[in-house]
């Protein structure tokens, strides 16, 4: 990998390699862009096959956080960290405290949080060494982000519904929800309350069955999510579910869900959805409630304000859809463009000097 060429082309400000042989720490912190504020993003604990794979992941993920924050109106930059190792075997207090000191040494340029493979307990170990960590339990902590994320997804779906059928309401619409986890649980409740006919599937059938029984949704098999006739397909499980195999099977008019990285390949699969006349509500926009939730922890957590912000995902999504129409772009292109415009404007505004210099003799 030509590291500086890669950093230049992806636009990263800083990449920090963190090593501590005594605790086994091998971590990489990626700071993509701090034009809007300190960079924030979770720490992923993952067994990468090569160091290059870990660097690629942290670069991609940290850049994604810049766009998510920029488009959702949050005053944070994009950052992310990866710790290389097996989350089932390699975690220890010493390792997370060593990582916490590395985070502390950046003096707030990077604020960490949970991600795949890390938990509240791990964040508490990091907290012993630095205050630049969110997602910690207890008073002042932001707690479970899922209800906020789900409200954002529901709000984004209402905007997509308005643009498609002329009404915000999902009443009478058939919505297939893939996954019956944290986000899906709250989303299904809102959809059923709104009068939608909801179908739900999970690879753990008992989870989907319990959710269906409790809410009045219909249980379907995981293999049926792409073929069940519906108006909205909502991915709330894993990424890359919108791909060459699944797009031809979809019957929906809208794809809108909480899962990250739904498109297997943005450049290929976003146009394929458009060609099939399926509106794609960009994943990082509609699932930004999770980021809004931890961002609030940085300023002093305010749940009511966060829920209002998550409802604002409606306006953000609508603006993206309108911009895409006006500029003849894909929705994902419009969303990226809006994020880049906000970054450019704020960087410009911050470009003028407003300090108070000390001038000798004056
Ligand atoms: P979760 O682990 O609680 O739920 C995911 C569910 O998907 C699990 O029940 C799992 O069994 C199921 N699943 C996995 N593969 C499946 C498949 N092929 N078919 C059907 N079900 C399958 O996770 P979550 O917190 O609800 O997050 C869901 C998605 O949303 C993830 O992609 C996550 O990255 C993203 N996300 C979550 C939040 C949040 O606040 N929790 C915020 C932003 C993005």
């Amino acid at each position: 990998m030509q590291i500086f060429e890669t950093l230049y082309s992806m636009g990263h400000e800083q990449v920090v390699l963190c090593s501590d042989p005594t605790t086994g720490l091998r971590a990489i912190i990626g700071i993509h862009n701090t034009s809007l504020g300190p960079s924030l993003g979770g720490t992923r604990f993952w067994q990468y096959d090569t160091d290059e794979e870990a660097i690629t992941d942290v670069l991609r993920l940290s850049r994604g956080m810049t766009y998510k924050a920029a488009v959702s109106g949050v005053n944070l930059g994009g950052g992310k960290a990866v710790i290389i190792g097996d989350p089932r075997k390699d975690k220890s207090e010493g390792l997370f405290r060593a990582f916490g000191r590395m985070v502390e040494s950046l003096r707030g340029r990077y604020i960490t949080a949970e991600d795949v493979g890390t938990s509240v307990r791990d964040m508490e170990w990091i907290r012993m060494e630095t205050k630049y960590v969110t997602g910690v339990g207890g008073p002042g902590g932001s707690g479970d982000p899922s209800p906020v994320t789900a409200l954002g997804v529901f709000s984004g779906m209402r905007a997509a519904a308005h643009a498609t059928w002329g009404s915000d309401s999902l009443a009478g619409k058939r919505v297939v929800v893939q996954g019956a986890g944290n986000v899906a649980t709250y989303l299904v409740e809102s959809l059923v309350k709104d009068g939608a006919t909801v179908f739900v599937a999970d690879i753990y059938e008992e989870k989907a069955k319990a959710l269906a029984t409790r809410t009045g949704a219909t249980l379907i098999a995981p293999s049926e999510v792409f073929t069940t006739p519906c108006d909205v397909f909502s991915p709330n499980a894993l990424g890359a579910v919108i791909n060459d195999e699944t797009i031809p099977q979809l019957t929906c008019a809208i794809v809108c869900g909480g899962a990250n990285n739904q498109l297997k390949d943005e450049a290929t699969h976003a146009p394929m959805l458009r060609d099939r006349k399926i509106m794609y509500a960009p994943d990082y926009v509609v699932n930004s409630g999770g980021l809004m939730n931890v961002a609030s922890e940085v300023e002093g957590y305010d749940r009511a304000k966060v829920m209002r912000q998550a409802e604002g995902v409606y306006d953000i999504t609508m603006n993206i859809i309108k911009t895409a129409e006006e500029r003849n772009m894909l929705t994902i292109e419009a969303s990226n463009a809006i994020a880049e415009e906000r970054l450019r404007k704020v960087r410009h505004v911050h470009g003028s000097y407003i300090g108070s210099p000390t001038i000798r003799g004056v």
Side-chain angles (χ1 to χ4, degrees), residues 129-143:
E129 302 298 335
T130 183
K131 63 178 184 292
Y132 302 118
V133 51
T134 56
V136 181
S142 55

Side-chain angles (χ1 to χ4, degrees), residues 68 145-146 149 178-184 201-204 207 222 236-238 258-260 287 290:
K68 187 181 287 217
S146 309
T149 304
Q178 184 189 35
N182 295 320
V183 175
D202 198 290
I203 46 170
Y204 295 103
K207 270 176 104 170
N236 294 281
L238 303 179
N260 278 312
N287 74 16

Side-chain angles (χ1 to χ4, degrees), residues 279-300:
M279 175 178 295
Y280 173 58
D283 49 9
Y284 73 82
V285 177
V286 299
N287 74 16
S288 60
L291 175 66
M292 293 167 176
N293 196 56
V294 283
S296 171
E297 199 177 319
V298 175
E299 295 160 1

Side-chain angles (χ1 to χ4, degrees), residues 91-118:
K91 288 185 179 183
S92 68
E93 178 187 346
L95 181 143
F96 279 104
R97 292 185 71 157
F99 178 66
R101 286 183 82 78
M102 299 291 177
V103 172
E104 174 67 16
S105 73
L106 294 168
R107 297 181 175 271
R109 272 178 59 70
Y110 169 66
I111 301 168
T112 197
E114 282 172 51
D115 195 66
V116 175
T118 52

